[in-house]
Amino acid sequence: MKAARIIQPKQPLEVQQIETPKPKGSQVLVKVQSSGVCHSDIHLWEGGYEGLGGQFLKTTDRGVKYPLTPGHEIAGVIESMGEDVQGFEKDERILVFPWIGEGLCPACRSGEENLCDKPRSIGIYQDGGYAEYVLVPDSRHLVKLDDKMDIDASATLSCSALTAYGAVKNAGLNPNDNAVVVGAGGLGLMAIQLAKAVTGARIIAMDIDDNKLKVAKGNGADFVVNSTTQDAVKTVLEITGGLGADAVLDFVNASKTVETDMQLLRRRAKVVLVGLFGGELRLNLVSMPTRAYNLIGSYTGTLTDLTELVSLAQRSIIKPVISDKFKLDQATEALSKLKAGQIMGRGVINP
Ligand SMILES: [Zn+2]
Ligand SMILES: [Zn+2]
């Protein structure tokens, strides 16, 4: 089979001819029809990301091994199955839950496999969907798709939409809440759709791009704030009657955005950090207890969350936006475009 692989960080991906895996036991071989291109694929490609004091955190220190086939947003059909798999048929349409754990740690045992101590995520710690086929270790990590679901839109549910959904859940929003969504890119837009559909909270979308804010308004944002042309803190305080936001969901998560987040909070507010931009934060420590703030990190979501999302998408309650389609040999171009901010919704690779 063909696979677009990162041979070593920072080098163009290579399309290689490698052996097609043969599923055994509970394993399933999936024929990939669509594989989403995610920001975290850029970190894999660059070999790491920025940590404290500009220090570079290497992916290999976290257990990533190269060469690696990236791609963790995978939708397709079942090609073949190991002898123990039940309840699935060849050619059945499925979505892969990629956030696989080792199954033994407390997180895995309480259904939060996405937060496993020894993660084995597909497309990060084992070969993923930038390929004609992908081996899924266990059929319980597959979610069935109905015939109407668009395959490209489905693929993006397993990371982009799942991460947005996980953040919305972590924000614990109520219908009376004012929630600020920072960053109106793909994830932010999905979070706005989900927060409107599931929680009923009032949504204030914040970005530095008027075009993105216009799209955010069309996707359900009640208010929009351009943080370069407007005073973000003052505007949010005005909208919330001087109280501040009950929650901030930050899909950028850079030093500058989180410093702003911390100034527009109501007492008891939750600050949910999701984006992987990175950097560091100076905190007023006394106001953490006196104003009872909650600082929460949110990473992807659970298998249960994914089955809920598929249900929401099948009823058209959320609509993922696919803007760019690539072939396997365009994987490097896809990552470069994403890095340059030239992909408006989500890019996918169709092997
Ligand atoms: Zn685990
Ligand atoms: Zn992702």
Side-chain angles (χ1 to χ4, degrees):
M1 68 171 190
K2 276 192 210 150
R5 315 192 81 199
I6 304 171
I7 307 302
Q8 50 177 317
K10 298 190 181 75
Q11 300 298 313
L13 279 71
E14 254 177 54
V15 177
Q16 292 186 329
Q17 195 74 38
I18 57 174
E19 196 161 342
T20 309
K22 287 191 180 61
K24 289 180 290 204
S26 59
Q27 297 172 337
V28 178
L29 186 69
V30 172
K31 184 172 192 204
V32 181
Q33 292 179 327
S34 184
S35 186
V37 181
C38 176
H39 271 102
S40 59
D41 296 340
I42 295 174
H43 295 308
L44 289 170
W45 183 35
E46 294 186 330
Y49 50 90
E50 194 194 323
L52 274 185
Q55 179 199 1
F56 191 71
L57 301 175
K58 285 164 112 180
T59 48
T60 46
D61 291 341
R62 282 192 300 141
V64 173
K65 292 190 178 76
Y66 300 96
L68 171 74
T69 308
H72 51 271
E73 291 186 342
I74 308 161
V77 295
I78 291 181
E79 177 68 22
S80 58
M81 295 165 274
E83 60 281 8
D84 298 338
V85 176
Q86 291 182 344
F88 289 93
E89 287 170 27
K90 182 170 159 50
D91 294 330
E92 203 169 358
R93 306 176 91 216
I94 49 86
L95 174 63
V96 176
F97 177 78
W99 310 109
I100 294 175
E102 103 289 35
L104 301 170
C105 77
C108 284
R109 286 178 184 271
S110 58
E112 290 189 299
E113 229 180 313
N114 55 313
L115 300 176
C116 177
D117 289 331
K118 291 178 184 159
R120 295 179 181 177
S121 316
I122 296 174
I124 297 169
Y125 299 103
Q126 51 186 307
D127 284 338
Y130 288 20
E132 288 176 296
Y133 298 94
V134 66
L135 186 69
V136 178
D138 197 303
S139 59
R140 67 192 175 83
H141 294 111
L142 301 178
V143 181
K144 297 188 183 201
L145 298 170
D146 71 17
D147 292 340
K148 288 185 292 263
M149 287 282 287
D150 176 73
I151 205 75
D152 295 318
S154 299
T156 68
L157 294 175
S158 61
C159 177
S160 166
L162 185 65
T163 299
Y165 194 41
V168 167
K169 283 198 163 182
N170 278 325
L173 298 173
N174 294 309
N176 288 326
D177 286 351
N178 290 296
V180 177
V181 172
V182 180
L187 263 72
L189 285 181
M190 185 54 65
I192 293 168
Q193 291 179 13
L194 284 162
K196 287 305 277 187
V198 179
T199 74
R202 289 208 302 175
I203 308 296
I204 304 162
M206 193 180 287
D207 204 286
I208 54 173
D209 182 336
D210 278 331
N211 286 325
K212 288 187 179 167
L213 289 171
K214 215 165 146 188
V215 179
K217 195 118 203 198
N219 276 272
D222 299 281
F223 302 93
V224 294
V225 181
N226 185 322
S227 55
T228 48
T229 58
Q230 288 172 279
D231 182 333
V233 176
K234 198 170 146 230
T235 311
V236 170
L237 286 174
E238 270 166 22
I239 293 168
T240 58
L243 292 168
D246 298 278
V248 181
L249 292 78
D250 195 325
F251 290 95
V252 182
N253 192 22
S255 303
K256 208 174 160 194
T257 60
V258 186
E259 266 164 30
T260 305
D261 300 345
M262 297 307 294
Q263 295 169 57
L264 43 78
L265 303 176
R266 189 178 189 171
R267 284 187 99 169
R268 307 194 305 142
K270 295 190 175 81
V271 182
V272 184
L273 303 181
V274 197
L276 297 176
F277 193 93
E280 52 194 328
L281 174 68
R282 268 162 55 88
L283 264 186
N284 178 345
L285 291 176
V286 171
S287 61
M288 290 301 293
T290 58
R291 294 189 58 81
Y293 294 147
N294 293 277
L295 205 50
I296 300 166
S298 189
Y299 181 72
T300 70
T302 67
L303 181 56
T304 309
D305 294 336
L306 187 61
T307 59
E308 290 175 12
L309 267 179
V310 168
S311 168
L312 288 166
Q314 286 185 163
R315 287 175 288 146
S316 304
I317 293 167
I318 51 164
K319 297 182 188 73
V321 182
I322 307 300
S323 53
D324 297 70
K325 298 187 183 189
F326 302 93
K327 294 283 165 206
L328 264 189
D329 57 9
Q330 297 173 302
T332 307
E333 183 191 337
L335 288 170
S336 307
K337 272 187 96 171
L338 181 64
K339 196 184 164 193
Q342 290 166 355
I343 293 182
M344 283 304 274
R346 197 68 162 173
V348 295
I349 291 176
N350 301 120

